[in-house]
Amino acid sequence: MDSISKIAIGEAQQRIEQTLSGPILPPQATGSYVVDKSVIASFPIPGTEVMHALNYGESLWGKTAKVIVRLPSGETENYFLKVTLDETGRHMCEGEFESLKAICAVSPTFVPKPYAWRKFSHDETYFLLAEFRDVGEQPADPVKLAACLADMHRQSQSPTGKFGFHLATCHAKIAEAVDTWEDSWCVLYSKYLGHVMELAKPVLKWPEFDIVCKLTLEKVVPQLLLPLQSEGRNIKPCLIHGDCWDGNTAMDMKTGEAFVFDVCSFYGHNEYDTGNWRAPRHRLSDKAYIKNYTRNFPASEPGKFPKPHITSSTLKARTSIEADWDARNLLIRDDMTTLCKMFCPEDLKRELESLKRGTEALFGEKDGGLAKGAEKDGEKEDEDEDEEEEEEEEEEEEEEGTLRILEWAQLPFSVEEWRAKVAQHNDLFKYSKSLPGVLDLLKCLSERTSARFHIALASSSNTDLFKMKTAHLPAITGAFPENCRVFGSDPDMSARKLKPGPDIFLLALQRINDTLSRNEERISPQECLIFEDSIAGVEAGRKAGMRVTWVPHPGLLEVCQGYEEAVLAGTIEDDGNELRTMFASEGSLGNGQPVKKGTDEVKSGSQYLRSKDGWADLLSLKTFPYEYYGIHLQLQDS
């Protein structure tokens, strides 16, 4: 069995998995902070007075402060205060307080001592009061951090002897499904991971994500975790930090010892804590950390099995805070897809093919399924029973996938009605024309540029449909090298997301880079310019980190009037409701907010508009500004 480290990572992981090298800046005390009277009432020593308080460091979820007090004895003391809002804040403060209390009981110096958590006196604001520790070098020293973490794992004892916790702690703003007690680590982990997946699905809105989630829970996790507690093997429920990454570890400037903070604990497998250390994007991925840890706490048997730390740590850290599609969200899918390829490749292939057939049938990107209904009876007479059964299964899977997409898009058609519309639509491709300016653009880029330009084709259509669209337009097909064409049916796209996902553009760039010689510098996404006529393609290009030129059909531009800026920003496709609203009404983006109508230039037909960040333009290819994009054309011979 291959290990995870031997499997090639995807483009998303290649972009994000780069070990950071610079120092983490220490938290700074800035500006005064007003301490609520309920905080004062919670000081551990009665009669303590606030001298002054300062904002301290940064928090994504609230405010943090350093409170300097005078004790009744006349001595000064510092407290750490974390403040957050509403019911979510209550869960966060209570969960961290209980986590700190549990760790402090086992390893008193490894975390700041917690004093209290409570509600403010005047509103729905909650706070956590704890010992103040001077944050020094981050992350903490590998020898000291590993020894302290392993000691906490080793010394801790679950009060029930089982995996879980007495309440749901919070990772960021997400309550973790650990408020139960289970004999099996596999069972608890599955509940925890399943909960995160259910929260992620409506945010990410990827049909492929739903598939890999299902397979990860049903096929992957049991194969990875059940062997830890079978055939005489056992693992101890250890008290864990819950989010042990670079920024939550430090050296104490006063004592010189390692300590941790921002905990979201429960009793689990000790290696859950070291999962973050396997990701190269963390400084803790330095081999010294895991090497020192395993010296203190040897790896669980059977050692030959890779454990799903990459998936678990990525999911829990990202789905709670990432609503926009970026490299980290792609990493979530890549991680789970990698594991599914290792442990249930046939299941993954079958599920993705079913989804793809449904998508192709819905959007006209496959004609094979539609042609089945037109086959002559005589052509089937020679087929044997096995072939008929296989075809029936494929048709059922295609129909199921089509229904799934129709339901998602809220289209009022049956599968048969939709197939008829697609077949009628496909016939029109034989007479299609290129958009104005396309042929001139391709000719200029291939024949008249002063420097060599690399071009590639990236189309979500499958190869057969593309040929149907362009068979009568040889100037288009001939402009792109065979090895720099990527279609939705490309084998390398089988486990990747089509537009509006960025995968197809990133793969096209990879194909270009593969053609470069060793002496040629590889091209980055930021150096690429995409020409797109579709809304989904614009969003895909933006997500790929590339510059986009939107050249829509006049009919599409008319439909999008008033929404041009949202299209250029790459936000339309992210929200299905927003997309439906755009085609159904005018003047808003589905959230009740008015939208600036297209400029006079756009309405009058000159078609020029730029996104606010300057990374996308709406323009016409008939008057394409080559020089503006750094494309210098040679004069034509007279």
Side-chain angles (χ1 to χ4, degrees):
M1 179 182 295
D2 288 335
S3 66
I4 291 175
S5 61
K6 292 182 181 178
I7 292 183
I9 61 178
E11 289 88 349
Q13 201 161 356
Q14 289 173 342
R15 294 198 305 277
I16 192 173
E17 294 293 13
Q18 298 178 358
T19 304
L20 301 175
S21 56
I24 298 177
L25 298 178
Q28 301 294 317
T30 58
S32 61
Y33 179 85
V34 179
V35 181
D36 188 82
K37 61 182 181 182
S38 20
V39 176
I40 298 173
S42 301
F43 289 158
I45 301 177
T48 298
E49 299 177 351
V50 175
M51 297 174 63
H52 60 279
L54 302 169
N55 293 301
Y56 182 76
E58 296 180 354
S59 172
L60 291 173
W61 320 118
K63 291 186 177 180
T64 49
K66 177 180 181 180
V67 183
I68 299 93
V69 302
R70 180 182 290 109
L71 303 177
S73 63
E75 298 175 293
T76 59
E77 182 69 271
N78 297 330
Y79 294 138
F80 176 79
L81 181 67
K82 179 182 288 188
V83 177
T84 187
L85 301 174
D86 59 46
E87 188 66 13
T88 300
R90 184 184 75 80
H91 284 294
M92 294 170 68
C93 289
E94 182 182 18
E96 186 170 355
F97 177 84
E98 292 296 326
S99 298
L100 289 171
K101 188 169 72 171
I103 296 177
C104 203
V106 177
S107 303
T109 62
F110 193 41
V111 291
K113 183 178 180 180
Y115 294 125
W117 77 273
R118 190 184 293 182
K119 180 182 172 184
F120 267 20
S121 58
H122 58 283
D123 59 20
E124 292 297 317
T125 301
Y126 293 84
F127 70 88
L128 169 70
L129 182 69
E131 173 189 16
F132 183 88
R133 302 282 290 269
D134 284 301
V135 173
E137 181 185 0
Q138 289 185 274
D141 174 78
V143 175
K144 293 185 176 182
L145 175 64
C148 290
L149 185 65
D151 182 72
M152 180 187 79
H153 291 158
R154 191 170 46 249
Q155 298 298 329
S156 61
Q157 296 290 332
S158 168
T160 64
K162 299 181 180 182
F163 299 94
F165 209 55
H166 61 280
L167 83 167
T169 54
C170 291
H171 183 277
K173 289 188 172 184
I174 300 300
E176 300 179 302
V178 295
D179 53 337
T180 183
W181 296 104
E182 301 290 348
D183 292 312
S184 167
W185 168 235
C186 182
V187 171
L188 180 70
Y189 183 84
S190 296
K191 289 182 177 180
Y192 158 77
L193 189 59
H195 173 66
V196 176
M197 288 174 173
E198 290 305 311
L199 293 175
K201 288 177 182 178
V203 176
L204 303 181
K205 300 174 184 175
W206 306 339
E208 297 93 335
F209 180 75
D210 295 353
I211 288 172
V212 292
C213 282
K214 174 176 174 288
L215 293 178
T216 299
L217 285 178
E218 294 179 359
K219 304 289 185 178
V220 176
V221 171
Q223 290 188 65
L224 288 169
L225 299 188
L226 287 178
L228 297 173
Q229 292 177 280
S230 63
E231 298 180 6
R233 291 181 290 267
N234 200 8
I235 54 174
K236 167 194 168 185
C238 298
L239 183 61
I240 62 175
H241 178 293
D243 188 22
C244 192
W245 71 286
D246 307 9
N248 289 344
T249 76
M251 299 300 294
D252 189 309
M253 292 180 64
K254 288 186 176 180
T255 66
E257 296 301 319
F259 75 105
V260 295
F261 43 91
D262 282 350
V263 293
C264 47
S265 300
F266 59 94
Y267 290 90
H269 185 204
N270 64 294
E271 292 179 21
Y272 179 96
D273 263 347
T274 57
N276 281 332
W277 302 6
R278 298 173 185 266
R281 65 183 176 277
H282 293 310
R283 295 170 178 83
L284 294 178
S285 65
D286 187 306
K287 293 181 179 180
Y289 286 93
I290 196 68
K291 185 176 181 180
N292 279 283
Y293 180 84
T294 53
R295 284 177 178 173
N296 290 277
F297 205 128
S300 302
E301 294 295 335
K304 67 177 181 178
F305 284 89
K307 301 174 183 67
H309 300 308
I310 296 178
T311 296
S312 106
S313 61
T314 301
L315 275 175
K316 72 186 181 66
R318 302 305 171 201
T319 52
S320 60
I321 61 175
E322 303 288 349
D324 298 328
W325 186 311
D326 61 9
R328 290 182 176 87
N329 281 334
L330 289 173
L331 186 55
I332 295 171
R333 190 199 62 201
D334 281 356
D335 286 343
M336 292 199 298
T337 302
T338 295
L339 291 170
C340 290
K341 286 180 178 179
M342 291 175 63
F343 293 98
C344 53
E346 294 304 318
D347 297 283
L348 178 64
K349 181 179 179 181
R350 184 177 63 254
E351 293 279 357
L352 290 177
E353 285 180 349
S354 173
L355 175 65
K356 190 172 184 179
R357 276 193 290 271
T359 305
E360 289 170 340
L362 178 61
F363 294 108
E365 295 184 349
K366 179 179 180 182
D367 58 351
L370 300 175
K372 287 189 179 78
E375 288 177 340
K376 297 178 180 179
D377 293 339
E379 294 176 339
K380 290 189 174 183
E381 291 178 356
D382 296 332
E383 294 179 355
D384 60 29
E385 185 176 345
D386 289 340
E387 290 176 334
E388 289 180 358
E389 290 179 356
E390 182 178 345
E391 193 167 290
E392 288 176 1
E393 290 178 0
E394 289 181 355
E395 289 180 348
E396 289 176 1
E397 290 176 354
E398 180 184 304
E399 182 168 340
E400 181 182 346
T402 302
L403 284 171
R404 185 185 306 172
I405 301 298
L406 285 170
E407 181 179 351
W408 173 85
Q410 298 183 11
L411 295 175
F413 303 117
S414 67
V415 174
E416 291 74 19
E417 290 172 331
W418 185 259
R419 285 176 175 173
K421 288 180 178 293
V422 170
Q424 184 180 17
H425 180 73
N426 286 348
D427 286 338
L428 299 177
F429 284 136
K430 301 173 184 178
Y431 312 102
S432 62
K433 298 179 181 180
S434 63
L435 289 173
V438 168
L439 298 182
D440 288 340
L441 174 74
L442 292 175
K443 185 175 182 179
C444 287
L445 291 178
S446 59
E447 299 179 8
R448 294 186 54 201
T449 54
S450 57
R452 181 188 177 196
F453 275 81
H454 302 276
I455 62 175
L457 174 68
S459 172
S460 292
S461 298
N462 69 15
T463 308
D464 292 338
L465 185 58
F466 180 78
K467 289 180 180 178
M468 182 193 304
K469 295 177 180 178
T470 60
H472 57 296
L473 299 169
I476 291 181
T477 55
F480 301 95
E482 288 282 352
N483 58 350
C484 290
R485 301 178 187 180
V486 183
F487 298 101
S489 56
D490 194 300
D492 289 338
M493 286 295 297
S494 60
R496 303 171 193 245
K497 187 172 179 64
L498 299 176
K499 303 173 186 178
D503 302 41
I504 198 165
F505 286 129
L506 295 171
L507 180 57
L509 174 58
Q510 180 182 318
R511 296 274 175 88
I512 290 177
N513 281 327
D514 288 344
T515 68
L516 303 181
S517 67
R518 292 184 178 180
N519 297 328
E520 290 183 281
E521 186 176 352
R522 294 303 181 260
I523 301 169
S524 69
Q526 293 80 5
E527 298 174 287
C528 297
L529 176 63
I530 292 173
F531 294 90
E532 256 296 343
D533 63 338
S534 71
I535 297 173
V538 172
E539 182 167 339
R542 297 301 310 268
K543 290 171 179 174
M546 302 176 180
R547 188 162 187 175
V548 181
T549 296
W550 184 32
V551 287
H553 185 280
L556 177 61
L557 184 60
E558 183 178 352
V559 171
C560 295
Q561 187 175 0
Y563 300 86
E564 299 95 344
E565 292 183 1
V567 174
L568 292 175
T571 60
I572 289 289
E573 286 276 350
D574 263 342
D575 186 346
N577 293 325
E578 187 173 288
L579 183 61
R580 286 188 288 270
T581 301
M582 185 183 74
F583 282 93
S585 63
E586 295 181 2
S588 73
L589 284 180
N591 55 9
Q593 297 297 318
V595 178
K596 177 184 176 182
K597 285 290 184 181
T599 64
D600 291 338
E601 290 83 354
V602 173
K603 292 180 185 178
S604 66
S606 62
Q607 293 186 6
Y608 180 77
L609 187 67
R610 168 156 299 156
S611 65
K612 292 181 179 179
D613 61 4
W615 276 83
D617 297 300
L618 164 64
L619 48 78
S620 170
L621 291 181
K622 291 188 293 185
T623 55
F624 183 70
Y626 291 93
E627 294 291 333
Y628 174 78
Y629 291 96
I631 303 173
H632 305 294
L633 300 183
Q634 297 174 336
L635 294 176
Q636 289 181 301
D637 295 333
S638 57

